[in-house]
Amino acid sequence: MIENVFSTVIALAEALISDPFLLGMGAGIALIAAWFWPKKKRWRVKSSYRALKQLNKMESPAQKFAYLRKVDPFVFEEMILSSLKKAGVEIKRNKKYTGDGGIDGKIYINGRLILIQAKRYANHIDPKHVREFSELCHRHKSFGIFVHTGKTGAKSLGNSGRNVVIVSGQKLLSMLDGDTSEVKELVLIKA
């Protein structure tokens, strides 16, 4: 069966290469895909700025967390990066959202690389996620910020190691409101 699939793929590739019309169509489809693919990324970045404005109109922390838990997970990642960028932090957005290896973004504080991971939780965060992110940061020889909307238990704090700062609760809301001083201070203390 695999031989049949291989022979079909080879036949299609040969037909594509030998026929200028099919080759042109394939190139056209590739260009169209390349044109539209980044637009979804740009849409989410723009959406993150709109979501930050919407969030800042809300008065109670409970309303804000309910909103954050409903927003698209990729927009939530972008909200974190956008708020840091607005506060003057150098950021680097990922080219794609899936297959990012657990890194949702990168920032630089005083020239140091800091990895970002964002999670939306309704309840307690999974200590395993914190441990895996801490190990990832260790492999990259960097520090990390684990941002989440849930509750942080003692096991999660214990799994953060010496290289990960956990940002949630009021620290998260302050960061999304543009006050990154506390987060920067925590990172510099760990560094």
Side-chain angles (χ1 to χ4, degrees):
M1 180 163 167
I2 290 180
E3 292 170 356
N4 290 342
V5 172
F6 257 155
S7 61
T8 304
V9 169
I10 290 172
L12 285 172
E14 288 173 346
L16 181 66
I17 292 170
S18 65
D19 187 347
F21 176 75
L22 288 177
L23 185 60
M25 289 294 292
I29 290 170
L31 284 173
I32 290 169
W35 174 258
F36 284 105
W37 185 259
K39 283 189 177 187
K40 196 155 198 149
K41 175 82 173 172
R42 287 192 301 261
W43 172 83
R44 285 196 171 107
V45 172
K46 287 180 182 178
S47 294
S48 74
Y49 285 105
R50 285 191 299 271
L52 286 168
K53 284 181 185 174
Q54 184 69 28
L55 185 72
N56 289 330
K57 291 178 186 174
M58 297 174 191
E59 298 207 10
S60 77
Q63 282 179 306
K64 291 180 179 190
F65 280 108
Y67 179 74
L68 290 172
R69 290 178 184 130
K70 288 182 192 172
V71 76
D72 177 276
F74 301 133
V75 171
F76 178 62
E77 290 175 15
E78 295 296 347
M79 287 174 72
I80 293 162
L81 294 171
S82 295
S83 67
L84 290 165
K85 183 176 183 175
K86 279 175 52 175
V89 176
E90 181 185 350
I91 68 164
K92 182 166 185 196
R93 298 182 192 276
N94 290 348
K95 289 184 176 21
K96 57 185 182 173
Y97 293 108
T98 57
D100 58 16
I103 301 169
D104 297 328
K106 298 174 184 173
I107 63 171
Y108 297 87
I109 298 177
N110 292 348
R112 288 182 178 258
L113 171 66
I114 314 290
L115 306 178
I116 304 284
Q117 185 164 91
K119 296 281 188 191
R120 293 178 319 130
Y121 291 94
N123 295 309
H124 280 84
I125 61 174
D126 188 340
K128 177 182 154 194
H129 293 159
V130 177
R131 183 182 65 250
E132 289 170 350
F133 184 61
S134 179
E135 291 167 358
L136 176 74
C137 291
H138 181 73
R139 284 194 304 274
H140 283 267
K141 295 180 173 77
S142 68
F143 295 92
I145 300 175
F146 188 95
V147 183
H148 71 89
T149 60
K151 299 172 187 158
T152 307
K155 283 185 180 179
S156 295
L157 285 173
N159 283 341
S160 67
R162 298 180 63 176
N163 59 344
V164 173
V165 171
I166 297 177
V167 175
S168 62
Q170 189 55 49
K171 287 180 197 161
L172 170 59
L173 295 180
S174 294
M175 184 179 76
L176 291 174
D177 197 29
D179 179 9
T180 60
S181 59
E182 193 171 353
V183 173
K184 285 180 184 178
E185 189 178 312
L186 287 169
V187 167
L188 292 174
I189 288 170
K190 285 243 180 181

XYZ file of all heavy atoms in Angstrom, residues 2-71:
563
model
N 1.929 1.273 0.809
C 2.823 2.434 0.851
C 3.481 2.630 -0.511
O 3.675 3.756 -0.948
C 3.872 2.260 1.967
C 3.181 2.364 3.318
C 4.987 3.280 1.844
C 4.069 2.219 4.498
N 3.784 1.503 -1.203
C 4.373 1.620 -2.539
C 3.409 2.330 -3.482
O 3.831 3.120 -4.332
C 4.733 0.229 -3.065
C 5.880 -0.402 -2.273
C 6.079 -1.861 -2.631
O 5.292 -2.417 -3.421
O 7.042 -2.441 -2.110
N 2.100 2.054 -3.352
C 1.105 2.717 -4.194
C 1.064 4.215 -3.922
O 0.954 5.023 -4.843
C -0.292 2.131 -3.962
C -0.417 0.719 -4.497
O 0.385 0.292 -5.316
N -1.409 -0.008 -4.011
N 1.145 4.586 -2.644
C 1.137 6.004 -2.276
C 2.382 6.682 -2.842
O 2.308 7.767 -3.422
C 1.071 6.173 -0.740
C 1.266 7.626 -0.345
C -0.251 5.644 -0.211
N 3.541 6.008 -2.675
C 4.786 6.560 -3.210
C 4.702 6.769 -4.715
O 5.079 7.812 -5.230
C 5.953 5.610 -2.915
C 6.826 6.053 -1.787
C 7.559 5.123 -1.076
C 6.952 7.390 -1.451
C 8.371 5.515 -0.038
C 7.771 7.794 -0.419
C 8.481 6.859 0.295
N 4.228 5.742 -5.420
C 4.159 5.855 -6.883
C 3.185 6.955 -7.303
O 3.428 7.661 -8.282
C 3.793 4.512 -7.520
O 2.524 4.086 -7.077
N 2.098 7.130 -6.565
C 1.136 8.197 -6.874
C 1.766 9.566 -6.654
O 1.613 10.468 -7.484
C -0.126 8.051 -5.998
O -0.678 6.750 -6.197
C -1.155 9.109 -6.344
N 2.469 9.727 -5.551
C 3.123 10.998 -5.260
C 4.179 11.315 -6.311
O 4.272 12.439 -6.809
C 3.742 10.999 -3.841
C 4.658 12.193 -3.626
C 2.658 10.949 -2.792
N 4.956 10.309 -6.712
C 5.990 10.510 -7.734
C 5.354 10.880 -9.066
O 5.814 11.786 -9.761
C 6.896 9.260 -7.844
C 7.751 9.149 -6.572
C 7.769 9.322 -9.095
C 8.539 7.876 -6.456
N 4.257 10.202 -9.422
C 3.571 10.512 -10.679
C 3.025 11.938 -10.668
O 3.126 12.662 -11.669
C 2.445 9.502 -10.911
N 2.464 12.367 -9.546
C 1.954 13.736 -9.449
C 3.088 14.755 -9.541
O 2.955 15.793 -10.202
C 1.191 13.926 -8.129
C -0.195 13.285 -8.067
C -0.744 13.369 -6.649
C -1.140 13.960 -9.030
N 4.202 14.468 -8.897
C 5.350 15.387 -8.954
C 5.889 15.488 -10.372
O 6.208 16.583 -10.848
C 6.442 14.912 -8.004
N 5.990 14.357 -11.061
C 6.471 14.378 -12.447
C 5.517 15.164 -13.342
O 5.947 15.942 -14.200
C 6.648 12.951 -12.974
C 7.839 12.240 -12.358
C 7.917 10.769 -12.748
O 6.928 10.207 -13.280
O 8.982 10.174 -12.507
N 4.209 14.971 -13.138
C 3.216 15.700 -13.946
C 3.300 17.198 -13.656
O 3.217 18.020 -14.575
C 1.810 15.180 -13.641
N 3.498 17.543 -12.419
C 3.585 18.951 -12.037
C 4.798 19.617 -12.689
O 4.708 20.706 -13.235
C 3.672 19.074 -10.510
C 3.741 20.475 -9.933
C 2.439 21.218 -10.184
C 4.026 20.425 -8.452
N 5.928 18.921 -12.671
C 7.157 19.487 -13.223
C 7.090 19.569 -14.749
O 7.539 20.533 -15.356
C 8.384 18.661 -12.759
C 8.576 18.848 -11.251
C 9.640 19.059 -13.517
C 9.583 17.908 -10.630
N 6.503 18.557 -15.387
C 6.502 18.510 -16.852
C 5.449 19.423 -17.490
O 5.590 19.812 -18.637
C 6.298 17.069 -17.330
O 5.007 16.622 -16.935
N 4.417 19.781 -16.758
C 3.357 20.615 -17.330
C 3.485 22.040 -16.798
O 3.280 22.285 -15.613
C 1.993 20.030 -16.954
C 0.835 20.743 -17.637
O 1.047 21.837 -18.211
O -0.286 20.200 -17.601
N 3.817 23.010 -17.669
C 3.982 24.392 -17.213
C 2.723 24.968 -16.566
O 2.806 25.751 -15.630
C 4.330 25.165 -18.490
C 4.739 24.150 -19.490
C 4.122 22.859 -19.086
N 1.553 24.557 -17.061
C 0.304 25.058 -16.483
C 0.164 24.600 -15.030
O -0.123 25.391 -14.138
C -0.897 24.583 -17.306
C -2.216 24.983 -16.695
C -2.660 26.301 -16.778
C -3.002 24.060 -16.013
C -3.866 26.683 -16.207
C -4.195 24.436 -15.433
C -4.638 25.750 -15.535
N 0.382 23.305 -14.804
C 0.286 22.774 -13.436
C 1.366 23.370 -12.538
O 1.112 23.666 -11.367
C 0.390 21.247 -13.442
C -0.813 20.483 -13.986
C -0.537 18.990 -13.990
C -2.058 20.785 -13.178
N 2.557 23.562 -13.096
C 3.625 24.166 -12.324
C 3.245 25.589 -11.914
O 3.429 25.989 -10.767
C 4.927 24.173 -13.129
C 6.173 24.680 -12.410
C 6.462 23.831 -11.179
C 7.360 24.661 -13.349
N 2.674 26.341 -12.839
C 2.213 27.701 -12.547
C 1.102 27.713 -11.522
O 1.070 28.557 -10.622
N 0.179 26.779 -11.642
C -0.919 26.683 -10.673
C -0.379 26.370 -9.272
O -0.809 26.957 -8.286
C -1.926 25.601 -11.088
C -2.763 25.973 -12.293
S -3.858 27.363 -11.953
C -4.972 26.638 -10.795
N 0.578 25.432 -9.214
C 1.162 25.084 -7.924
C 1.873 26.268 -7.295
O 1.740 26.539 -6.109
N 2.619 27.006 -8.112
C 3.321 28.196 -7.609
C 2.320 29.260 -7.173
O 2.513 29.921 -6.147
C 4.253 28.741 -8.691
N 1.239 29.421 -7.932
C 0.205 30.402 -7.580
C -0.462 30.071 -6.259
O -0.667 30.938 -5.411
N -0.777 28.810 -6.077
C -1.397 28.378 -4.814
C -0.437 28.611 -3.648
O -0.835 29.076 -2.587
C -1.836 26.897 -4.905
C -3.022 26.781 -5.871
C -2.179 26.337 -3.531
C -3.391 25.363 -6.235
N 0.848 28.320 -3.868
C 1.844 28.541 -2.814
C 1.942 30.024 -2.466
O 2.037 30.392 -1.288
C 3.199 27.995 -3.245
N 1.922 30.894 -3.475
C 1.988 32.344 -3.215
C 0.752 32.842 -2.480
O 0.857 33.659 -1.564
C 2.154 33.108 -4.537
C 3.551 33.063 -5.144
C 3.544 33.703 -6.531
C 4.548 33.757 -4.249
N -0.409 32.352 -2.885
C -1.647 32.755 -2.213
C -1.615 32.304 -0.751
O -1.956 33.067 0.154
C -2.887 32.201 -2.948
C -3.045 32.934 -4.284
C -4.143 32.337 -2.098
C -4.067 32.310 -5.212
N -1.184 31.069 -0.519
C -1.096 30.561 0.862
C -0.114 31.407 1.680
O -0.384 31.750 2.828
C -0.667 29.102 0.857
N 1.023 31.759 1.075
C 2.010 32.577 1.780
C 1.460 33.970 2.083
O 1.776 34.565 3.107
C 3.289 32.681 0.950
N 0.619 34.495 1.200
C 0.041 35.827 1.397
C -0.977 35.828 2.537
O -0.993 36.711 3.379
C -0.614 36.291 0.104
C -1.356 37.583 0.260
C -2.700 37.740 0.377
C -0.807 38.898 0.341
N -3.017 39.062 0.518
C -1.869 39.804 0.499
C 0.487 39.396 0.305
C -1.683 41.168 0.612
C 0.668 40.749 0.417
C -0.404 41.615 0.567
N -1.832 34.800 2.571
C -2.901 34.779 3.559
C -2.461 34.242 4.910
O -3.022 34.611 5.921
C -4.101 33.964 3.056
C -4.901 34.708 2.044
C -4.830 34.381 0.704
C -5.699 35.767 2.423
C -5.561 35.081 -0.230
C -6.435 36.478 1.499
C -6.367 36.133 0.159
N -1.483 33.374 4.958
C -1.066 32.769 6.222
C -0.621 33.810 7.246
O -1.094 33.821 8.371
C 0.037 31.738 5.965
C 0.432 31.001 7.207
C 1.512 31.224 7.983
C -0.287 29.941 7.829
N 1.534 30.370 9.038
C 0.439 29.569 8.971
C -1.460 29.268 7.534
C 0.022 28.554 9.812
C -1.871 28.253 8.382
C -1.130 27.915 9.502
N 0.284 34.747 6.889
C 0.690 35.736 7.899
C -0.443 36.667 8.311
O -0.390 37.245 9.385
C 1.803 36.531 7.209
C 2.210 35.741 6.030
C 1.050 34.877 5.678
N -1.474 36.824 7.483
C -2.575 37.716 7.834
C -3.275 37.237 9.100
O -3.720 38.045 9.905
C -3.575 37.833 6.681
C -3.073 38.721 5.586
C -4.150 38.997 4.593
C -3.597 39.964 3.565
N -4.589 40.424 2.655
N -3.376 35.922 9.267
C -4.006 35.399 10.478
C -3.175 35.795 11.704
O -3.720 36.158 12.731
C -4.138 33.885 10.373
C -5.092 33.317 11.369
C -5.664 32.017 10.892
C -6.887 31.740 11.696
N -7.899 31.034 11.054
N -1.866 35.756 11.562
C -0.977 36.173 12.650
C -1.175 37.669 12.929
O -1.321 38.079 14.071
C 0.476 35.876 12.250
C 1.518 36.353 13.222
C 1.688 35.406 14.341
C 2.852 35.827 15.209
N 2.938 35.051 16.394
N -1.178 38.484 11.858
C -1.374 39.927 12.038
C -2.738 40.207 12.649
O -2.878 41.098 13.477
C -1.240 40.658 10.692
C 0.178 40.735 10.196
C 0.296 41.699 9.025
N -0.530 41.369 7.891
C -0.119 40.735 6.800
N 1.129 40.365 6.701
N -0.943 40.481 5.812
N -3.742 39.428 12.252
C -5.091 39.607 12.796
C -5.073 39.375 14.300
O -5.679 40.120 15.062
C -6.063 38.646 12.106
C -7.408 38.643 12.737
C -8.425 39.516 12.514
C -7.890 37.725 13.730
N -9.504 39.201 13.303
C -9.205 38.110 14.061
C -7.332 36.618 14.366
C -9.960 37.418 14.991
C -8.097 35.939 15.293
C -9.396 36.349 15.600
N -4.360 38.335 14.740
C -4.318 38.049 16.178
C -3.545 39.115 16.945
O -3.899 39.437 18.070
C -3.731 36.659 16.417
C -4.729 35.558 16.064
C -4.340 34.230 16.650
N -5.386 33.264 16.487
C -5.349 32.256 15.627
N -4.302 32.101 14.840
N -6.346 31.394 15.559
N -2.498 39.650 16.347
C -1.755 40.727 17.011
C -2.661 41.945 17.152
O -2.750 42.540 18.237
C -0.461 41.073 16.236
C 0.205 42.318 16.819
C 0.512 39.896 16.267
N -3.354 42.318 16.079
C -4.291 43.448 16.152
C -5.399 43.166 17.161
O -5.790 44.044 17.926
C -4.899 43.740 14.775
C -3.939 44.389 13.822
C -4.611 44.657 12.487
C -3.629 45.261 11.503
N -4.241 45.479 10.186
N -5.891 41.938 17.155
C -6.933 41.554 18.110
C -6.439 41.668 19.542
O -7.204 42.000 20.447
C -7.398 40.118 17.859
O -8.054 40.018 16.624
N -5.150 41.410 19.750
C -4.620 41.493 21.112
C -4.671 42.926 21.633
O -4.982 43.148 22.806
C -3.189 40.948 21.166
O -2.254 41.837 20.594
N -4.399 43.899 20.764
C -4.473 45.298 21.201
C -5.926 45.696 21.500
O -6.189 46.406 22.476
C -3.857 46.228 20.150
C -2.349 46.179 20.143
C -1.660 45.510 19.145
C -1.608 46.795 21.148
C -0.269 45.461 19.143
C -0.217 46.743 21.157
C 0.438 46.074 20.150
O 1.803 46.024 20.158
N -6.861 45.209 20.672
C -8.281 45.485 20.947
C -8.713 44.822 22.252
O -9.442 45.405 23.047
C -9.157 44.996 19.784
C -9.087 45.873 18.549
C -10.163 45.517 17.541
N -10.067 44.154 17.041
C -9.357 43.779 15.971
N -8.675 44.673 15.281
N -9.337 42.532 15.587
N -8.242 43.595 22.468
C -8.601 42.866 23.695
C -8.021 43.567 24.928
O -8.673 43.615 25.973
C -8.107 41.425 23.609
N -6.819 44.118 24.806
C -6.232 44.858 25.938
C -7.059 46.094 26.266
O -7.286 46.403 27.436
C -4.784 45.256 25.632
C -3.757 44.126 25.691
C -2.427 44.576 25.097
C -3.574 43.632 27.123
N -7.531 46.800 25.232
C -8.395 47.966 25.466
C -9.687 47.545 26.155
O -10.149 48.194 27.093
C -8.717 48.668 24.144
C -7.587 49.484 23.602
C -7.995 50.166 22.316
C -6.823 50.894 21.698
N -7.134 51.448 20.381
N -10.270 46.444 25.665
C -11.509 45.931 26.252
C -11.286 45.546 27.710
O -12.093 45.854 28.580
C -12.005 44.731 25.441
C -13.324 44.161 25.884
C -14.483 45.096 25.597
O -14.444 45.889 24.664
N -15.514 45.002 26.400
N -10.178 44.878 27.975
C -9.850 44.440 29.334
C -9.706 45.638 30.271
O -10.186 45.610 31.402
C -8.552 43.630 29.307
C -8.115 43.000 30.618
C -9.025 41.825 30.976
C -6.675 42.535 30.526
N -9.083 46.690 29.797
C -8.850 47.860 30.643
C -10.124 48.646 30.930
O -10.145 49.446 31.862
C -7.774 48.753 30.030
C -6.406 48.112 30.122
O -6.131 47.355 31.037
N -5.559 48.378 29.161
N -11.181 48.414 30.172
C -12.472 49.055 30.443
C -13.206 48.373 31.599
O -14.083 48.961 32.207
C -13.368 49.012 29.200
C -12.894 49.900 28.070
C -13.823 49.747 26.877
C -13.311 50.492 25.664
N -14.140 50.225 24.480
N -12.842 47.135 31.875
C -13.519 46.370 32.923
C -13.020 46.814 34.285
O -11.852 47.155 34.447
C -13.272 44.878 32.710
C -13.851 44.369 31.421
S -13.381 42.660 31.138
C -13.900 42.480 29.457
N -13.929 46.786 35.255
C -13.575 47.301 36.576
C -13.100 46.233 37.548
O -12.105 46.411 38.222
C -14.770 48.063 37.148
C -15.109 49.236 36.268
C -15.774 50.351 37.011
O -15.814 50.302 38.251
O -16.243 51.270 36.341
N -13.785 45.120 37.625
C -13.437 44.145 38.660
C -12.463 43.092 38.124
O -12.538 42.691 36.959
C -14.691 43.456 39.194
O -15.150 42.483 38.288
N -11.561 42.622 38.990
C -10.656 41.544 38.591
C -11.407 40.290 38.140
O -10.963 39.607 37.216
C -9.837 41.273 39.858
C -9.858 42.565 40.601
C -11.224 43.147 40.320
N -12.540 39.997 38.780
C -13.315 38.811 38.390
C -13.775 38.920 36.937
O -13.694 37.943 36.181
C -14.517 38.647 39.314
N -14.252 40.105 36.531
C -14.654 40.319 35.134
C -13.461 40.123 34.201
O -13.581 39.515 33.145
C -15.170 41.746 34.931
C -16.561 42.016 35.411
C -16.902 43.488 35.150
O -16.171 44.383 35.557
N -18.017 43.712 34.480
N -12.332 40.677 34.602
C -11.142 40.599 33.767
C -10.684 39.160 33.572
O -10.362 38.745 32.463
C -10.016 41.450 34.361
C -10.309 42.939 34.289
C -9.194 43.767 34.880
C -9.520 45.252 34.762
N -8.393 46.107 35.087
N -10.670 38.376 34.664
C -10.234 36.982 34.530
C -11.237 36.156 33.729
O -10.836 35.285 32.961
C -9.944 36.355 35.899
C -8.599 36.736 36.423
C -8.484 37.623 37.478
C -7.442 36.257 35.834
C -7.235 38.002 37.941
C -6.198 36.636 36.287
C -6.091 37.510 37.348
N -12.523 36.422 33.895
C -13.532 35.725 33.090
C -13.302 36.016 31.609
O -13.379 35.122 30.762
C -14.937 36.148 33.513
N -12.993 37.270 31.288
C -12.724 37.664 29.904
C -11.459 36.974 29.378
O -11.460 36.426 28.272
C -12.574 39.189 29.828
C -12.262 39.702 28.459
C -13.238 39.739 27.468
C -10.986 40.162 28.138
C -12.953 40.216 26.194
C -10.691 40.641 26.879
C -11.681 40.665 25.908
O -11.398 41.135 24.652
N -10.390 36.979 30.179
C -9.131 36.363 29.751
C -9.278 34.868 29.512
O -8.634 34.308 28.628
C -8.029 36.621 30.782
C -7.522 38.052 30.878
C -6.580 38.206 32.067
C -6.838 38.463 29.587
N -10.129 34.221 30.296
C -10.318 32.775 30.133
C -11.152 32.437 28.907
O -11.148 31.292 28.457
C -10.956 32.194 31.399
C -9.984 32.195 32.563
C -10.599 31.663 33.831
N -9.651 31.785 34.932
C -9.931 32.320 36.101
N -11.141 32.776 36.350
N -9.009 32.400 37.030
N -11.876 33.422 28.359
C -12.707 33.195 27.172
C -12.001 33.567 25.873
O -12.362 33.073 24.817
C -13.991 34.010 27.268
C -14.970 33.513 28.278
C -16.219 34.368 28.262
C -17.102 34.080 29.442
N -18.209 35.025 29.530
N -11.028 34.467 25.951
C -10.381 34.962 24.741
C -9.610 33.817 24.053
O -9.182 32.860 24.706
C -9.457 36.167 25.087
C -8.179 35.718 25.753
C -9.148 36.994 23.876
